[in-house]
mmCIF file of all heavy atoms in Angstrom:
data_model
loop_
_atom_site.group_PDB
_atom_site.id
_atom_site.type_symbol
_atom_site.label_atom_id
_atom_site.label_comp_id
_atom_site.label_asym_id
_atom_site.label_seq_id
_atom_site.Cartn_x
_atom_site.Cartn_y
_atom_site.Cartn_z
ATOM 1 N N LYS A 201 3.449 -11.612 -38.635
ATOM 2 C CA LYS A 201 2.325 -10.796 -39.083
ATOM 3 C C LYS A 201 1.052 -11.575 -38.861
ATOM 4 O O LYS A 201 0.922 -12.724 -39.306
ATOM 5 C CB LYS A 201 2.476 -10.388 -40.525
ATOM 6 C CG LYS A 201 1.428 -9.389 -40.997
ATOM 7 C CD LYS A 201 1.708 -8.903 -42.430
ATOM 8 C CE LYS A 201 0.706 -7.866 -42.879
ATOM 9 N NZ LYS A 201 0.745 -6.656 -42.017
ATOM 10 N N ALA A 202 0.104 -11.007 -38.128
ATOM 11 C CA ALA A 202 -1.139 -11.685 -37.793
ATOM 12 C C ALA A 202 -2.343 -10.887 -38.234
ATOM 13 O O ALA A 202 -2.319 -9.620 -38.176
ATOM 14 C CB ALA A 202 -1.201 -11.944 -36.311
ATOM 15 N N ASN A 203 -3.392 -11.574 -38.646
ATOM 16 C CA ASN A 203 -4.674 -10.969 -38.974
ATOM 17 C C ASN A 203 -5.754 -11.866 -38.391
ATOM 18 O O ASN A 203 -5.926 -12.984 -38.885
ATOM 19 C CB ASN A 203 -4.786 -10.805 -40.510
ATOM 20 C CG ASN A 203 -6.176 -10.207 -40.880
ATOM 21 O OD1 ASN A 203 -7.190 -10.879 -40.825
ATOM 22 N ND2 ASN A 203 -6.138 -8.973 -41.354
ATOM 23 N N VAL A 204 -6.457 -11.375 -37.347
ATOM 24 C CA VAL A 204 -7.374 -12.265 -36.641
ATOM 25 C C VAL A 204 -8.667 -11.560 -36.420
ATOM 26 O O VAL A 204 -8.714 -10.390 -36.066
ATOM 27 C CB VAL A 204 -6.781 -12.656 -35.247
ATOM 28 C CG1 VAL A 204 -7.729 -13.666 -34.556
ATOM 29 C CG2 VAL A 204 -5.430 -13.285 -35.394
ATOM 30 N N ASN A 205 -9.805 -12.230 -36.679
ATOM 31 C CA ASN A 205 -11.143 -11.740 -36.387
ATOM 32 C C ASN A 205 -11.458 -11.995 -34.958
ATOM 33 O O ASN A 205 -11.874 -13.118 -34.544
ATOM 34 C CB ASN A 205 -12.169 -12.358 -37.308
ATOM 35 C CG ASN A 205 -13.530 -11.749 -37.199
ATOM 36 O OD1 ASN A 205 -13.949 -11.347 -36.134
ATOM 37 N ND2 ASN A 205 -14.254 -11.697 -38.312
ATOM 38 N N LEU A 206 -11.259 -10.995 -34.088
ATOM 39 C CA LEU A 206 -11.466 -11.150 -32.648
ATOM 40 C C LEU A 206 -12.962 -11.156 -32.301
ATOM 41 O O LEU A 206 -13.385 -11.747 -31.296
ATOM 42 C CB LEU A 206 -10.782 -10.076 -31.877
ATOM 43 C CG LEU A 206 -9.232 -10.022 -31.992
ATOM 44 C CD1 LEU A 206 -8.667 -8.949 -31.093
ATOM 45 C CD2 LEU A 206 -8.630 -11.380 -31.656
ATOM 46 N N LYS A 207 -13.787 -10.547 -33.138
ATOM 47 C CA LYS A 207 -15.265 -10.542 -32.896
ATOM 48 C C LYS A 207 -15.758 -11.961 -32.932
ATOM 49 O O LYS A 207 -16.553 -12.374 -32.101
ATOM 50 C CB LYS A 207 -15.943 -9.700 -33.952
ATOM 51 C CG LYS A 207 -17.442 -9.630 -33.769
ATOM 52 C CD LYS A 207 -18.118 -8.767 -34.825
ATOM 53 C CE LYS A 207 -19.641 -8.721 -34.624
ATOM 54 N NZ LYS A 207 -20.293 -7.911 -35.683
ATOM 55 N N ARG A 208 -15.311 -12.738 -33.920
ATOM 56 C CA ARG A 208 -15.732 -14.136 -34.001
ATOM 57 C C ARG A 208 -15.255 -14.921 -32.802
ATOM 58 O O ARG A 208 -16.020 -15.723 -32.254
ATOM 59 C CB ARG A 208 -15.193 -14.754 -35.267
ATOM 60 C CG ARG A 208 -15.440 -16.266 -35.417
ATOM 61 C CD ARG A 208 -14.947 -16.803 -36.737
ATOM 62 N NE ARG A 208 -13.542 -16.466 -36.936
ATOM 63 C CZ ARG A 208 -12.526 -17.102 -36.402
ATOM 64 N NH1 ARG A 208 -12.727 -18.124 -35.602
ATOM 65 N NH2 ARG A 208 -11.240 -16.771 -36.679
ATOM 66 N N ARG A 209 -14.067 -14.668 -32.363
ATOM 67 C CA ARG A 209 -13.543 -15.399 -31.192
ATOM 68 C C ARG A 209 -14.316 -15.019 -29.912
ATOM 69 O O ARG A 209 -14.634 -15.916 -29.114
ATOM 70 C CB ARG A 209 -12.065 -15.069 -30.961
ATOM 71 C CG ARG A 209 -11.130 -15.604 -32.078
ATOM 72 C CD ARG A 209 -11.043 -17.111 -31.996
ATOM 73 N NE ARG A 209 -10.339 -17.558 -30.820
ATOM 74 C CZ ARG A 209 -10.290 -18.839 -30.413
ATOM 75 N NH1 ARG A 209 -10.958 -19.769 -31.091
ATOM 76 N NH2 ARG A 209 -9.607 -19.212 -29.357
ATOM 77 N N ARG A 210 -14.739 -13.761 -29.770
ATOM 78 C CA ARG A 210 -15.529 -13.354 -28.625
ATOM 79 C C ARG A 210 -16.901 -14.052 -28.647
ATOM 80 O O ARG A 210 -17.360 -14.528 -27.616
ATOM 81 C CB ARG A 210 -15.757 -11.833 -28.667
ATOM 82 C CG ARG A 210 -14.600 -11.006 -28.169
ATOM 83 C CD ARG A 210 -15.085 -9.621 -27.832
ATOM 84 N NE ARG A 210 -13.998 -8.800 -27.321
ATOM 85 C CZ ARG A 210 -13.350 -7.884 -28.068
ATOM 86 N NH1 ARG A 210 -13.626 -7.780 -29.358
ATOM 87 N NH2 ARG A 210 -12.348 -7.124 -27.537
ATOM 88 N N GLU A 211 -17.472 -14.145 -29.825
ATOM 89 C CA GLU A 211 -18.812 -14.808 -29.939
ATOM 90 C C GLU A 211 -18.680 -16.281 -29.578
ATOM 91 O O GLU A 211 -19.580 -16.855 -28.954
ATOM 92 C CB GLU A 211 -19.346 -14.636 -31.342
ATOM 93 C CG GLU A 211 -19.727 -13.172 -31.681
ATOM 94 C CD GLU A 211 -20.079 -12.994 -33.117
ATOM 95 O OE1 GLU A 211 -19.792 -13.914 -33.939
ATOM 96 O OE2 GLU A 211 -20.591 -11.916 -33.465
ATOM 97 N N GLU A 212 -17.585 -16.922 -30.018
ATOM 98 C CA GLU A 212 -17.402 -18.339 -29.635
ATOM 99 C C GLU A 212 -17.252 -18.522 -28.125
ATOM 100 O O GLU A 212 -17.776 -19.454 -27.556
ATOM 101 C CB GLU A 212 -16.169 -18.849 -30.374
ATOM 102 C CG GLU A 212 -16.315 -19.006 -31.871
ATOM 103 C CD GLU A 212 -15.017 -19.445 -32.555
ATOM 104 O OE1 GLU A 212 -13.986 -19.475 -31.873
ATOM 105 O OE2 GLU A 212 -15.056 -19.730 -33.756
#
Side-chain angles (χ1 to χ4, degrees):
K201 187 173 182 62
N203 179 287
V204 184
N205 187 325
L206 298 185
K207 181 180 180 181
R208 173 178 53 81
R209 292 291 290 169
R210 280 197 180 100
E211 291 172 349
E212 290 175 353

